């Protein structure tokens, strides 16, 4: 097969801004340098509110006057020329969500607005309530361009320098730049089509990228998975001529007293297998690797910004295709932990992959396991696109993740794993079945109930269902189209969490 995409190295598909960020040094400044382009986040509530901004009164009066003359109603950014500077008023969302997320949203808006503007020095004005660092973060994240696979990708223009007003030094700024790069890496993987990002290619990308970092990266082939007795994972790969890969990245922590395992569902394409999905919208199933992409994005960040704890990242990269060799509904497969599974629906494949990965990471007895997966369409019925579902066997573990979500501005909502439902994943002919009978409903919870069977007793574990937020995410502070990199924030934070 001749694929012209393959003539290019994988990293040439990363956005130009990803490379630009590598050498970007954001600084703190006391004053806006003359001739700057200044971003001013401000509220509009029946009139412009400038009192939260750290600017002189005379300047505020001029801005207020000009904005009024321009008929500005806070519906989008407004550019004004004041003295020798270009100012951009960035309306802050009036939604009742955390300031952190509204600040990031303003930054995302700025990136869109300035995409084609030639900016020399960009300065973020400080705001009394909203963290300027979060506006910066939203801006840098927003510099990602979709359309990287166009024959000629559109490239915006990037500023020469970026500074924060009122931020005395550069504390925390390099972490923000590093985080933005990690989200770009994540989103490129997400947006990539399944004929490019195959499981095999993903393994090569991992070896190539992480091989140059001070981490241990291992890619297991089909043969290795057979040796590991991963019959459940392998059953998903069976319909495709492309081999599966298990990608494992180990990062040493600063203290190394605790171990965290991050597990990601990496279905580079989910056609449903023999339980074929309907054709409408099937193309979106290239995003069924969003959990795996988030885990790899977290590894990208942690390889540069060392976490406190040791981290084991594991991704199950595979595609679920129908064919004469594919798993049939009714087949019984054996997972790595010895449990047998009756596969009643080949489209409930994510849990089959995660089953073996959870057993694999359990072997090293980590202090915490979190898995991320676009596991169920049902989570969309429960929570829509504005937040992800979390569930787990251990109440404290779930609380830890919920608190982290709160702290980092990642909207998460708990669903229960009711003990009454345990029997619904038991099969008459095997130990387990991969779907419950239709009357049970509670699709997202049943996904969690199934996974719980593969986590070694006593290890705190949380499952995050990101099917509603992995792409086309509607949460404030996240990119709204294409891949969102949802989840990266919480798992990165978990790797330095004090309370483990
Ligand atoms: N990848 C899908 C879940 C999904 C659906 C994610 C829509 C995002 C949007 C998953 O593998 C799947 O097909 N799940 C089935 C499970 C069912 C057969 C129990 C589902 O949700 O329909
Ligand atoms: Zn599926
Ligand atoms: Zn799937």
């Amino acid at each position: 097969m001749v694929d012209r995409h393959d003539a290019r190295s994988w990293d040439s598909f990363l956005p130009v801004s990803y490379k630009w960020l590598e050498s970007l040094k954001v600084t703190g400044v006391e004053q806006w340098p003359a001739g700057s382009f200044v971003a001013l986040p401000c509220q509009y509530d029946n009139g412009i509110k400038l009192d939260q901004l750290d600017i002189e009164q005379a300047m505020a009066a001029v801005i207020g006057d000009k904005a009024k003359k321009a008929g500005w109603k806070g519906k989008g950014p407004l550019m004004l020329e004041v003295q020798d500077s270009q100012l951009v008023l960035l309306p802050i969302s009036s939604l009742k969500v955390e300031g952190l997320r509204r600040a990031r949203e303003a930054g995302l808006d700025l990136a869109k607005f300035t995409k084609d503007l030639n900016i020399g020095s960009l300065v973020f004005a400080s705001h009394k309530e909203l963290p300027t660092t979060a506006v910066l973060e939203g801006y840098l994240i927003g510099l990602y361009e979709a359309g990287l696979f166009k024959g000629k990708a559109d490239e915006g223009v990037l500023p020469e320098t970026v500074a924060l007003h009122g931020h005395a030094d550069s504390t925390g700024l390099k972490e923000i730049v590093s985080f933005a790069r990690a989200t770009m890496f994540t989103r490129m993987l997400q947006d990539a089509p399944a004929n490019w990002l195959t499981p095999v290619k993903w393994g090569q990308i991992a070896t190539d990228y992480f091989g140059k970092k001070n981490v241990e990266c291992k890619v297991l082939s089909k043969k290795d998975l057979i040796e590991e007795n991963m019959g459940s994972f392998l059953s998903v790969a069976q319909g495709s001529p492309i081999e599966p890969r298990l990608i494992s990245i180990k990062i040493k922590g600063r203290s190394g007293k605790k171990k965290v395992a991050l597990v990601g569902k990496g279905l580079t394409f989910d056609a449903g297998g023999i339980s074929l999905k309907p054709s409408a919208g099937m193309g979106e199933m290239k995003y069924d690797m969003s959990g795996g992409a988030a885990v790899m994005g977290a590894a990208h960040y942690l390889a540069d910004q060392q976490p406190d704890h040791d981290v084991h990242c594991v991704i199950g990269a595979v595609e679920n295709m129908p064919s004469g060799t594919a798993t049939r509904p009714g087949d019984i497969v054996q997972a790595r932990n010895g449990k047998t599974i009756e596969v009643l629906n080949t489209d409930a494949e994510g849990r089959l992959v995660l089953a073996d990965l959870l057993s694999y990471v359990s072997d090293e007895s980590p202090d915490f396991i979190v898995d991320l997966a676009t596991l169920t369409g049902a989570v969309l019925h429960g929570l829509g696109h504005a937040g992800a579902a979390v569930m787990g066997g251990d109440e404290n573990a779930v609380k830890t993740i919920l608190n982290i979500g709160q702290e980092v501005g990642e909207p998460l909502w708990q669903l229960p794993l009711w003990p009454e439902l345990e029997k619904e994943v038991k099969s008459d002919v095997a130990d387990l079945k991969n779907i419950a009978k239709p009357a049970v409903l509670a699709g997202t919870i049943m996904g969690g109930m199934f996974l719980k069977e593969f986590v070694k007793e006593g290890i705190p574990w949380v499952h995050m269902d990101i099917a509603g937020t992995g792409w086309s995410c509607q949460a404030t502070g996240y990119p709204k189209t294409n891949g969102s990199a949802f989840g990266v924030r919480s798992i990165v934070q978990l790797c330095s969490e004090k309370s483990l």
Side-chain angles (χ1 to χ4, degrees):
M1 183 175 61
V2 178
D3 186 339
R4 291 193 56 207
H5 281 142
D6 274 343
R8 276 173 60 184
S9 69
W10 69 268
D11 56 354
S12 74
F13 287 91
L14 285 162
V16 174
S17 43
Y18 173 89
K19 283 149 224 166
W20 173 80
L21 281 174
E22 189 169 18
S23 52
L24 179 71
K25 299 265 178 301
V26 181
T27 54
V29 286
E30 291 302 330
Q31 303 252 281
W32 313 337
S36 296
F37 188 98
V38 187
L40 298 142
C42 64
Q43 241 113 23
Y44 186 95
D45 180 15
N46 285 325
I48 186 167
K49 300 258 173 303
L50 293 162
D51 51 329
Q52 300 280 27
L53 285 165
D54 185 12
I55 48 175
E56 281 163 20
Q57 272 194 347
M59 173 72 105
V62 177
I63 296 172
D65 202 43
K66 290 207 175 197
K68 202 165 177 185
K69 281 210 184 95
W72 194 59
K73 294 274 184 288
K75 288 284 178 280
L78 174 74
M79 194 141 82
L80 297 173
E81 217 171 295
V82 177
Q83 294 162 7
D84 58 357
S85 294
Q86 292 284 347
L87 309 187
V88 173
L89 296 183
L90 288 175
I92 299 167
S93 160
S94 57
L95 298 178
K96 287 197 170 58
V97 297
E98 310 92 294
L100 198 55
R101 292 210 276 135
R102 287 184 296 138
R104 285 183 197 136
E105 185 82 14
L108 289 166
D109 290 345
L110 177 69
K112 246 186 252 160
F113 185 73
T114 56
K115 188 177 177 300
D116 297 313
L117 298 180
N118 227 320
I119 297 173
S121 123
L122 173 62
V123 177
F124 288 81
S126 64
H127 190 276
K128 290 192 190 115
E129 272 182 11
L130 290 191
T132 318
T133 46
V135 183
L136 166 75
E137 196 174 314
Y139 169 75
L140 297 179
I141 289 171
L143 293 175
Y144 173 86
E145 312 116 39
L148 295 163
F149 285 80
K150 288 184 179 177
K152 191 175 177 319
D154 331 323
E155 286 163 19
V157 213
L158 297 159
E160 276 156 34
T161 62
V162 179
L164 291 193
H165 178 222
H167 200 88
D169 52 38
S170 12
T171 321
L173 300 181
K174 79 172 190 317
E175 287 81 359
I176 289 176
V177 172
S178 206
F179 187 80
R181 293 188 86 226
T183 65
M184 289 185 178
F185 183 69
T186 308
R187 291 169 68 195
M188 182 277 268
L189 294 172
Q190 291 189 277
D191 294 345
N195 64 333
W196 184 82
L197 188 74
T198 63
V200 171
K201 171 78 140 263
W202 202 353
Q204 289 162 349
I205 292 175
T207 311
D208 192 35
Y209 182 80
F210 292 100
K212 295 187 188 102
K213 298 277 167 182
N214 189 20
V215 301
E216 182 193 319
C217 176
K218 235 179 17 182
V219 177
L220 273 57
S221 66
K222 179 175 170 187
K223 188 167 149 275
D224 301 321
L225 301 185
I226 294 170
E227 266 166 36
E228 281 286 341
N229 296 313
M230 294 194 175
S232 182
F233 183 170
L234 284 161
S235 75
V236 176
Q238 220 172 282
S240 169
I242 303 174
E243 276 199 20
R245 292 289 183 260
L246 183 152
I247 304 167
S248 153
I249 304 159
K250 285 186 175 166
I251 299 160
K252 280 255 154 269
R254 257 190 300 262
S255 87
K257 288 201 192 96
K258 302 276 173 175
K259 268 189 287 194
V260 173
L262 306 176
V263 174
K265 167 177 173 180
L267 263 288
T268 58
F269 193 69
D270 177 14
I274 297 297
S275 314
L276 192 64
K277 284 189 181 294
S279 45
M282 204 204 274
E284 290 190 17
M285 284 298 125
K286 71 171 184 182
Y287 286 114
D288 209 21
M289 37 61 75
S290 297
V295 169
M296 196 170 270
H300 187 293
Y301 178 84
L302 300 170
D304 288 338
Q305 311 299 329
Q306 194 183 22
D308 281 347
H309 310 312
D310 286 349
V311 183
H312 188 191
C313 300
V314 176
I315 296 152
V318 55
E319 63 172 3
N320 185 24
M321 300 291 270
S323 82
T325 61
T327 298
R328 311 152 197 80
D331 284 1
I332 295 176
V333 300
Q334 188 166 28
R336 184 179 182 276
N337 70 349
K339 293 191 184 178
T340 59
I341 305 161
E342 184 187 10
V343 181
L344 287 174
N345 187 321
T346 64
D347 196 13
E349 84 300 336
R351 62 198 75 184
L352 296 174
V353 174
L354 292 176
D356 281 338
L357 301 188
L358 289 169
S359 141
Y360 183 72
V361 299
S362 287
D363 273 9
E364 293 186 5
S365 302
D367 298 280
F368 206 104
I369 302 176
V370 53
D371 76 73
L372 281 85
T374 47
L375 207 73
T376 64
V379 78
L380 281 141
H381 295 271
L383 302 179
H385 291 279
V390 294
M391 58 219 90
D394 172 313
E395 229 15 64
N396 282 329
V398 177
K399 285 214 179 83
T400 301
I401 291 289
L402 289 174
N403 289 339
I404 287 176
Q406 242 331 291
E407 191 188 323
V408 302
E410 193 143 76
L412 304 175
W413 199 258
Q414 181 180 8
L415 289 180
L417 294 183
W418 308 121
E420 288 85 342
L421 297 175
E422 258 165 40
K423 65 178 188 308
E424 307 296 347
V425 292
K426 300 280 175 347
S427 157
D428 296 336
V429 292
D431 298 326
L432 298 167
K433 55 186 176 189
N434 77 332
I435 55 162
K437 58 181 184 293
V440 175
L441 300 164
T444 304
I445 294 176
M446 291 321 295
M449 292 306 296
F450 181 87
L451 297 180
K452 189 165 159 281
E453 299 284 335
F454 300 90
V455 180
K456 213 187 261 160
E457 277 290 309
I459 305 179
W461 154 78
V462 172
H463 160 57
M464 200 185 282
D465 193 332
I466 58 166
T469 47
W471 71 97
S472 304
C473 180
Q474 294 307 308
T476 302
Y478 285 82
K480 306 284 182 292
T481 51
N482 305 100
S484 65
F486 192 99
V488 180
R489 268 178 207 293
S490 299
I491 58 179
V492 155
Q493 184 68 19
L494 175 69
C495 296
S496 293
E497 172 64 29
K498 299 272 177 293
S499 75
L500 294 196

